Amino acid sequence: MNRKFILESLLKKKVTNEVSLIKDIEQAVKDIKVAESMFESVSDPKLIEIAIYSEEVARKRLDFLLREAKDNNSKVDNTYVVEKSSGLAE
């Protein structure tokens, strides 16, 4: 097999995995915020319990994803940070 093709395939897969990992991390953060919001807006004890467990699950998922990112030496470049920051300003 062509070495160049193999190398390009491996690099593309790594980039795809990193993008997927970043999106999963962003979703986990959103899930935490949703659970916090739910906790603040409900009064039924069963719904409060659900909100607490939902937040706990989302935090554990975030911890796992951050550990995965660290273990894979995943990095976010400056353009990604700028794009996300500019989206917040709008």
Side-chain angles (χ1 to χ4, degrees), residues 14 18 21 66-76:
K14 183 173 190 222
E18 286 184 354
L21 189 60
L66 291 175
R67 222 176 10 260
E68 283 290 307
K70 183 178 178 183
D71 291 347
N72 293 331
N73 293 322
S74 297
K75 300 198 182 338
V76 177

Side-chain angles (χ1 to χ4, degrees), residues 24-82:
D24 288 345
I25 289 170
E26 290 173 343
Q27 184 60 49
V29 171
K30 288 178 187 175
D31 292 344
I32 291 169
K33 291 178 181 178
V34 167
E36 289 173 345
S37 177
M38 181 180 173
F39 179 79
E40 293 171 1
S41 65
V42 297
S43 57
D44 184 295
K46 297 225 183 248
L47 292 176
I48 292 171
E49 189 175 344
I50 290 170
I52 290 169
Y53 286 126
S54 296
E55 182 179 353
E56 186 176 328
V57 167
R59 288 189 184 278
K60 288 187 183 282
R61 183 167 186 258
L62 178 61
D63 289 343
F64 169 78
L65 293 169
L66 291 175
R67 222 176 10 260
E68 283 290 307
K70 183 178 178 183
D71 291 347
N72 293 331
N73 293 322
S74 297
K75 300 198 182 338
V76 177
D77 64 1
N78 293 336
T79 56
Y80 180 83
V81 174
V82 170

